[in-house]
Every structure is written in C-alpha cells, then in structure tokens.
Amino acid sequence: MAGRAGVYRMPRSVPDRRRFLSVCTGGLTAIIGGLIFAPAVAFVIGPLRRRRGAVPGADEFADAGPVNAIPAGTWTLIPIEIVRQDGWAKTQQSRSVWVRVKSTAPGDVQVLSPICPHLGCPVGWSSANSQFRCPCHGGVYTADGVWVSGPPPRGMDSLESQVRDGQLWVRWQDFRIGTSERVVVEL
C-alpha cells in the first residue's frame, strides 16, 4: 500500500472537460472556416451559374426617361446608362439613342442607334433636310434611318424598346460595323 500513497489520481471530470473544449474548439474552427470559405466559393461559382447561352446584359433594358417628356414627331437624342456584367466585373456605360415618338398611342416609339454602320462615327440629325447625316464620310439616311447615299453598307440600326408605366426602356446592342448584315456584337 505504500506504493499507492504517492500516486495522484485525477478526478474523472478533467478528461471530460478536455474533450468538451476540444469539441468546442473544433466547432468554432469549422464555423470560422465556413464563414471564410462560403463567400470565396460563391465568388468563383456565381458567374458559372448564369443561364447557358445567355448574353450578359442582353435581357436588360436601360431607362430612357418618361415618354411624355420626349417631343412627339421629332427626333431627340436621349442619354441612357447601361450596365454590363462580364464575369465578376460590372461596368456602367453612358450611351445615347435617337428617339422619336410617332404619336400619342402607347408604344408608338422608334429608337435608333446613333452609331454609323460604316465606321462607327456618331450620326446627327439634320432638321433642315429631315435626314440623318454622318459627318465622317457623308453617309445620309432618311428620317426612318434607311440608307440613302454614301459609303455606309446598311441603314441605321434600330433598337428594341418598351414603354412601362410611362417610362421608355431601351435595350442597347452593339452591331458589327462595315458589313451589310446587321450582326449583334457581344462585348
């Protein structure tokens, strides 16, 4: 019995306490790791979850303002802000569109791109001649954007538009320049 007197026995609660602290530490480490890992995975996987075959920003319309603020029967150059998303990068770009409200009937709006299909110069409206004119190489278009003369290979490009609750919404698209076919360019 003399040998047993020098042996110290630990209470039964110390291993249970160590196991408890070990489990708590492991759980806390897992939670912190998850909080760091989940956003990283979402950042990498997010753009891959987009619909296959969808053009980024192709189904988005830009607000061109209230329709009743556009003078009826005349061409007006209206600025719009378009948002493009390429993977993780989202950019905002300023563009302009030619808009003519033909009548007071809802949706009777014509929208044209101001970019000349010849070399991409900005096309201007000449109210004296009731024509669109490209200042770079003398391209001339009718009041409806149909090619009349000059080097452009086709008429001005029309853009899709909608009127929602009195606001004009325009779908901006870029088109290949220098070709007779109207081909959408994906940027």
Side-chain angles (χ1 to χ4, degrees):
M1 293 270 173
R4 286 189 167 240
V7 175
Y8 176 74
R9 288 188 174 224
M10 293 180 63
R12 186 112 171 101
S13 64
V14 172
D16 291 339
R17 193 177 309 147
R18 282 187 188 150
R19 187 176 306 133
F20 173 74
L21 291 175
S22 177
V23 168
C24 287
T25 303
L28 187 59
T29 303
I31 290 171
I32 291 172
L35 290 173
I36 293 171
F37 188 67
V41 169
F43 178 77
V44 172
I45 301 295
L48 302 176
R49 293 180 48 207
R50 187 178 299 130
R51 286 183 285 135
R52 296 219 183 264
V55 178
D59 56 347
E60 296 177 9
F61 283 77
D63 185 4
V67 175
N68 61 5
I70 303 168
T74 62
W75 284 102
T76 307
L77 191 62
I78 307 251
I80 61 172
E81 294 292 322
I82 59 172
V83 177
R84 292 211 166 134
Q85 185 159 355
D86 182 18
W88 297 273
K90 188 180 274 190
T91 59
Q92 188 170 349
Q93 301 172 336
S94 296
R95 297 282 192 248
S96 295
V97 292
W98 284 108
V99 178
R100 178 174 63 175
V101 177
K102 293 182 181 180
S103 70
T104 57
D108 199 8
V109 178
Q110 185 177 6
V111 181
L112 296 174
S113 170
I115 298 173
C116 181
H118 176 226
L119 293 177
C121 294
V123 176
W125 171 249
S126 171
S127 56
N129 300 332
S130 295
Q131 296 177 326
F132 285 103
R133 294 182 171 266
C134 177
C136 296
H137 300 105
V140 179
Y141 307 90
T142 67
D144 290 325
V146 177
W147 175 78
V148 174
S149 66
R154 65 178 186 270
M156 294 174 68
D157 297 311
S158 61
L159 299 172
E160 185 180 348
S161 65
Q162 297 176 352
V163 177
R164 300 182 210 152
D165 298 325
Q167 293 287 113
L168 177 62
W169 294 84
V170 177
R171 178 182 288 166
W172 177 265
Q173 290 183 307
D174 290 299
F175 298 95
R176 184 174 293 153
I177 58 174
T179 64
S180 59
E181 306 88 44
R182 186 173 179 242
V183 179
V184 176
V185 176
E186 296 179 29
L187 298 177

